[in-house]
Amino acid sequence: QVQLVESGGGLVQAGDSLRLSCAASGRTFSSYAMGWFRQAPGKAREFVAVINWSGSSSDYADSVKGRFTISRDNGKNTVYLQMNSLIPEDTAVYYCAASRYYARPTSEAKYDYWGQGTQVTVSS
C-alpha cells in the first residue's frame, strides 16, 4: 500500500513558476514509476509527466514539454513537478500517481495509487 500526498499548488500569474511535491508513504517508493496527471474543469484527466523508478528516464506530454520538469528523491520518498512559464491552460487539479509494474506509463489505467490532488490556478 502506498499513500500519496500532493502539495505546492496555488494561484499564480501567467509566466510564473510553481513546484509541486508528492510525498509517498511506505518503504517501496523507489520501486514505483511516478507520474503526474491533471484535470481541468469539465475535461478528462490527462497525462502530464512520468519518471521511472530510478529517476534516469522521464516522459512528458507535448503541451508541457520544455516548461515542466519531473524529478524524484528516493531518499525522501518524494516526487516533484517543476512548472515554469505557466499559462492559463495549465489551470487544473494536479494528481500524482504510482505505478508498480510499468516503467514509464502514460495511461491512467497503469497506475495503482493516486493522491488527492492539488489545485493550480494560473491567471492571465
Side-chain angles (χ1 to χ4, degrees), residues 5-10 19-23 36 79 81 94 96 116-118:
V5 180
E6 301 97 334
S7 62
R19 188 177 80 156
L20 304 183
S21 299
C22 174
W36 285 96
V79 62
L81 185 67
Y94 283 72
C96 72
Q116 83 290 348
T118 186

Side-chain angles (χ1 to χ4, degrees), residues 87-109:
I87 59 178
E89 290 76 15
D90 294 321
T91 295
V93 177
Y94 283 72
Y95 300 89
C96 72
S99 176
R100 180 66 180 91
Y101 299 108
Y102 297 90
R104 291 184 305 164
T106 60
S107 168
E108 287 186 58

Side-chain angles (χ1 to χ4, degrees), residues 2-48:
V2 175
Q3 293 185 322
L4 305 172
V5 180
E6 301 97 334
S7 62
L11 172 63
V12 297
Q13 293 189 333
D16 286 350
S17 298
L18 272 179
R19 188 177 80 156
L20 304 183
S21 299
C22 174
S25 65
R27 293 177 292 177
T28 59
F29 174 76
S30 60
S31 301
Y32 289 80
M34 297 298 297
W36 285 96
F37 288 76
R38 66 186 182 185
Q39 187 168 23
K43 295 188 177 181
R45 189 155 56 184
E46 65 176 4
F47 166 76
V48 174

